[in-house]
Amino acid sequence: MIYFVGAGPGDVDLITVKGLKKLQEADVIIYAGSLVSEEHLQAAKEGCSFYNSAKMHLDEVIQVMKEAVQDEKLVVRLHTGDPTIYGAIQEQMDRLIELAIPFEVIPGVSSFTAAAAALPREFTLPGVSQTVILTRIAGRTQVPEKEKLGELAKHRASMAIFLSVQDMAGVVEELREGYGSWDIPIAVVYRASWPDQRIVRGNLADIVDKVAAAGIRKQAQILVGDFLEGDYQLSKLYDKSFTTEYREGI
Ligand code: SAH
């Protein structure tokens, strides 16, 4: 059996209880060494084998899984954050389906929620935005034309931009075009939940220089939108005059 486990954004305590239990039971752990804390490996039982997938290609990962399953071993494939977001797990799952190897995905705390928690701000403010867009700019992986940042910005929804801080100038250029303004709040959260976490706040006009001055070039979330500051409406959920399924309004 293979378990794809979300390790969480960095802080080892942010793995789920279910994910941690699987780590403790695993005979083989294949972990994404570039972003997953090696501290997670201390949870493993004695005799567990470790593979750092940063140094492996897809065929090698599948081969390790296949051999382990043949020996009736339990495999944990440990991904950073939540495995379903930029985790490249679909290609692994499809190969396992072809090989008739059973697997399960155990979700994790994504870095986009860890980044909002660090600020701390809520993405979904009544009267501001009820939508969160998760996206990235193109790198070696292309992004469909219809999803260019400038197009997405036109929605004025709350946004979390992954895998893009290395090109802050490009990000800001596209956002400015879409928003039609420089006066848009933006925050960059470097290594959310790690001990060396850093936060840089600004607007589209000054964030490029601030991020450069902070020396942040990777492992950061870029959060954009009016949810970062300013007014919003109070929720209906906790409005005292509002009747809900659980509470009579007064
Ligand atoms: N599956 C992961 C994302 C993997 S893609 C998740 O759910 O978070 C890797 C990108 O995620 C990085 O380039 C960065 O943009 C973001 N990221 C991962 N961990 C991060 C952290 N602790 N703080 C800020 N951004 C992080």
Side-chain angles (χ1 to χ4, degrees), residues 42-245:
Q42 288 167 15
K45 65 184 185 192
E46 206 155 300
C48 177
S49 342
F50 304 111
Y51 295 86
N52 180 355
S53 63
K55 299 176 182 156
M56 299 161 81
H57 55 67
L58 178 61
D59 290 345
E60 288 172 329
V61 170
I62 300 298
Q63 188 60 28
V64 169
M65 290 177 170
K66 203 170 135 183
E67 283 172 15
V69 168
Q70 271 161 7
D71 296 341
E72 294 185 358
K73 289 180 172 166
L74 191 154
V75 180
V76 165
R77 176 69 172 105
L78 193 60
H79 281 270
T80 176
D82 182 276
T84 67
I85 302 171
Y86 304 115
I89 63 166
Q90 193 63 51
E91 59 197 26
Q92 300 175 60
M93 295 191 294
D94 286 343
R95 292 282 280 275
L96 296 178
I97 291 169
E98 266 169 46
L99 294 165
I101 295 175
F103 62 87
E104 186 181 324
V105 181
I106 300 176
V109 175
S110 177
S111 58
F112 84 95
T113 52
L119 288 173
R121 292 298 292 180
E122 177 179 346
F123 280 116
T124 49
L125 296 176
V128 177
S129 173
Q130 292 289 290
T131 303
V132 187
I133 295 176
L134 308 183
T135 190
R136 62 169 296 171
I137 55 163
R140 272 177 301 179
T141 306
Q142 290 304 301
V143 172
E145 196 65 25
K146 63 185 189 323
E147 294 174 11
K148 284 187 97 61
L149 271 187
E151 289 302 313
L152 299 179
K154 289 178 186 165
H155 293 279
R156 292 193 80 105
S158 304
M159 250 198 264
I161 308 173
F162 292 69
L163 295 158
S164 303
V165 77
Q166 70 286 352
D167 183 15
M168 263 324 275
V171 167
V172 164
E173 194 183 313
E174 286 199 41
L175 288 174
R176 206 215 67 83
E177 210 179 290
Y179 281 109
S181 163
W182 291 103
D183 192 19
I184 303 294
I186 183 165
V188 170
V189 184
Y190 170 75
R191 285 170 62 84
S193 86
W194 290 80
D196 56 352
Q197 166 186 297
R198 266 186 293 157
I199 296 172
V200 178
R201 298 166 203 260
N203 56 40
L204 293 184
D206 62 16
I207 197 72
V208 174
D209 288 346
K210 286 182 173 175
V211 167
I216 299 172
R217 281 180 291 274
K218 57 178 188 172
Q219 295 184 20
Q221 277 286 341
I222 307 168
L223 306 185
V224 195
D226 292 323
F227 77 97
L228 288 168
E229 59 188 43
D231 272 354
Y232 58 92
Q233 292 162 6
L234 296 182
S235 74
K236 295 285 181 234
L237 187 59
Y238 298 110
D239 182 339
K240 65 178 173 209
S241 64
F242 199 72
T243 299
T244 74
E245 196 181 333

